[in-house]
Amino acid sequence: MSDDERYKEVFNRAHEAEMAAADARKSKMLARSAFLVAVLTLAVTICDHWR
């Protein structure tokens, strides 16, 4: 394996790791958003019930 091929392989692996990390951050953000929507919906339902 030449040096160019090794560098290309290392770059590709680093890029894949970066993409996986970005997907994980996006998933965490979506989960947090879904949780906040659920909490707000519950709060509105409780407030509406007490009226």
Side-chain angles (χ1 to χ4, degrees), residues 6-51:
R6 260 190 237 125
Y7 290 136
K8 188 181 279 189
E9 182 67 26
V10 168
F11 176 79
N12 285 340
R13 288 186 184 194
H15 183 69
E16 288 173 7
E18 186 180 341
M19 290 295 111
D23 287 345
R25 284 191 298 271
K26 194 182 299 179
S27 295
K28 187 176 180 181
M29 191 173 71
L30 288 174
R32 189 176 294 150
S33 296
F35 175 74
L36 289 175
V37 168
V39 168
L40 287 173
T41 303
L42 180 62
V44 168
T45 303
I46 290 172
C47 289
D48 193 40
H49 178 72
W50 281 345
R51 274 208 237 165

